[in-house]
Amino acid sequence: MPTARENDETPHERNTIVTVPELKEPILADVESARDRIRPWLPPTALRSYPALSALAGTELFVKHENHQPIGAFKIRGGINMLSRLSDEERGRGVISASTGNHGQSIAYAAKLFGARAIITVPEGANPAKVDSMLALGAEVVFHGKDFDEAREEVERRATAEGLRYIHSANEPLLIAGVGTCALEIIEEEPDLDALIVPIGGGSGAAGAGLVIESLSPRTKLIGVQAEEAPAARLSWKEGTLVEAPMTTKAEGLATRCAFELTQGLLRKHLDDFVLVSEEEMSRAVRMLLEKTRNLAEPSGAASLAAALKLTDSLAGKKTGVILSGGNISPGQLMNLLASA
């Protein structure tokens, strides 16, 4: 297993969690097929370099602007690929999923596009901007539980009881292939990247990126980043088994207590390093993106930049890509973040 930084985590109580058997891993051909599937609705997003940001990071930095997607987040790629391939019978029954916001928006957007009923369960206290977006897209939004995993457990119960098509936010090959198109666009535009940094909550984005990097740019180092206050995926990657860990991060896109089988299997194959960033490091990265690029980022969306700023010594003089995975920060979050600077 690849080595990871050892000095950026604190001990956490862990418990093995239940796995989902017989999941088929996607391959590069699935990512390429997903690109063709989503292209009629989603043109490639911009990949830009900002001299002021590169100087701050000490590396030639390229920012992939997934905050420019119609829902303000990269997850829309997976939603469109997923819903476009469901049968008429599955769409007719309706789809149900759990989300802290961006995944839910992607399912709601795609369900509207393809005429399916969508039910999204979110934790109490979910980002109001993301909830409003899901409602505007026609989804039924249900509040349940204190965090994503409690919402997910309720969705799994309800899907079975009501015969709905459950869409897991990570254990879905079509979602992974869909979001993998983000890395495909990056490598096609900048094939000589030394490193690509991807935020990890459930891990679909990094898992999809790994499929692309392995086949098309094996010299590129793939680095995952997660919140210090939600380290389940990193702990699972290091230990080689699915574990659960305490979760207190305010970065809802990274706020998971559990790791997931399908994405973890791909991360162990393809991820070169996995770092943790603090709440303040993400907040600083949000401010830097606003100041240096005039782009809004939510804390989880800025996590890749936070990792690049943390890894300046190892990335010095190299060409590095970071995925600005989402820009759905609420006005209240932004005001609090700027006031605390």
Side-chain angles (χ1 to χ4, degrees):
M1 181 179 297
T3 58
R5 291 162 60 97
E6 299 294 332
N7 61 353
D8 55 358
E9 73 174 51
T10 55
H12 291 274
E13 182 180 354
R14 304 154 203 161
N15 297 293
T16 302
I17 64 174
V18 177
T19 65
V20 179
E22 300 180 356
L23 291 167
K24 182 181 178 181
E25 290 186 353
I27 59 176
L28 178 64
D30 296 316
V31 181
E32 294 172 331
S33 175
R35 175 182 54 188
D36 296 336
R37 180 66 61 133
I38 70 176
R39 184 56 55 84
W41 293 279
L42 298 177
T45 54
L47 181 68
R48 294 208 167 98
S49 181
Y50 300 90
L53 201 61
S54 293
L56 188 69
T59 179
E60 187 178 4
L61 208 61
F62 290 84
V63 179
K64 181 65 168 172
H65 281 288
E66 292 298 282
N67 58 314
H68 294 170
Q69 293 284 14
I71 64 166
F74 80 107
K75 292 280 190 177
I76 192 173
R77 298 171 179 269
I80 290 179
N81 190 49
M82 181 92 211
L83 268 291
S84 72
R85 298 178 190 270
L86 293 184
S87 67
D88 290 340
E89 186 271 336
E90 287 175 310
R91 293 177 192 162
R93 281 191 283 128
V95 299
I96 188 168
S97 195
S99 175
T100 57
N102 286 338
H103 167 69
Q105 287 186 87
S106 79
I107 300 303
Y109 186 97
K112 182 176 183 179
L113 203 60
F114 297 104
R117 176 193 179 200
I119 304 165
I120 311 298
T121 299
V122 301
E124 299 288 347
N127 183 318
K130 296 178 182 180
V131 171
D132 288 346
S133 173
M134 286 183 274
L135 290 170
L137 289 165
E140 302 168 38
V141 179
V142 178
F143 292 85
H144 182 88
K146 70 178 185 298
D147 59 22
F148 166 78
D149 291 290
E150 289 192 358
R152 174 179 56 80
E153 289 161 3
E154 169 62 13
V155 163
E156 291 169 358
R157 182 203 64 78
R158 185 174 176 185
T160 300
E162 300 180 24
L164 300 163
R165 174 56 163 92
Y166 173 40
I167 300 177
H168 193 286
S169 62
N171 284 333
E172 287 283 1
L174 291 174
L175 289 184
I176 293 171
V179 296
T181 61
C182 176
L184 187 59
E185 291 175 8
I186 293 171
I187 294 303
E188 287 178 341
E189 189 168 345
E190 288 292 338
D192 59 342
L193 282 182
D194 295 297
L196 177 63
I197 307 178
V198 186
I200 295 177
S204 61
L211 299 173
V212 173
I213 296 296
E214 178 194 41
S215 299
L216 301 183
S217 186
R219 67 176 294 274
T220 302
K221 184 178 182 181
L222 183 61
I223 303 171
V225 56
Q226 190 172 43
E228 285 180 358
E229 296 186 23
R234 184 176 183 270
L235 291 170
S236 298
W237 176 78
K238 286 187 65 182
E239 297 183 12
T241 187
L242 300 184
V243 301
E244 182 175 330
M247 187 284 297
T248 57
T249 183
K250 298 297 191 296
E252 61 258 20
L254 308 179
T256 55
R257 284 190 283 109
C258 302
F260 304 109
E261 180 184 9
L262 185 56
T263 50
Q264 277 291 317
L266 290 166
L267 294 181
R268 291 188 202 107
K269 289 181 180 179
H270 304 307
L271 204 63
D272 295 298
D273 198 6
F274 202 150
V275 301
L276 298 176
V277 291
S278 69
E279 302 295 290
E280 176 50 36
E281 286 168 334
M282 286 186 283
S283 294
R284 179 184 179 228
V286 170
R287 294 191 291 267
M288 290 301 100
L289 285 162
L290 180 58
E291 178 182 341
K292 306 299 183 185
T293 77
R294 310 300 187 265
N295 276 269
L296 281 178
E298 59 192 285
S300 58
S304 291
L305 176 60
L309 295 174
K310 191 167 187 171
L311 298 173
T312 51
D313 290 344
S314 60
L315 296 177
K318 297 180 179 179
K319 185 180 287 191
T320 303
V322 297
I323 298 179
L324 201 175
S325 59
N328 294 312
I329 188 169
S330 71
Q333 287 175 317
L334 181 61
M335 286 189 290
N336 288 336
L337 187 149
L338 294 176
S340 67

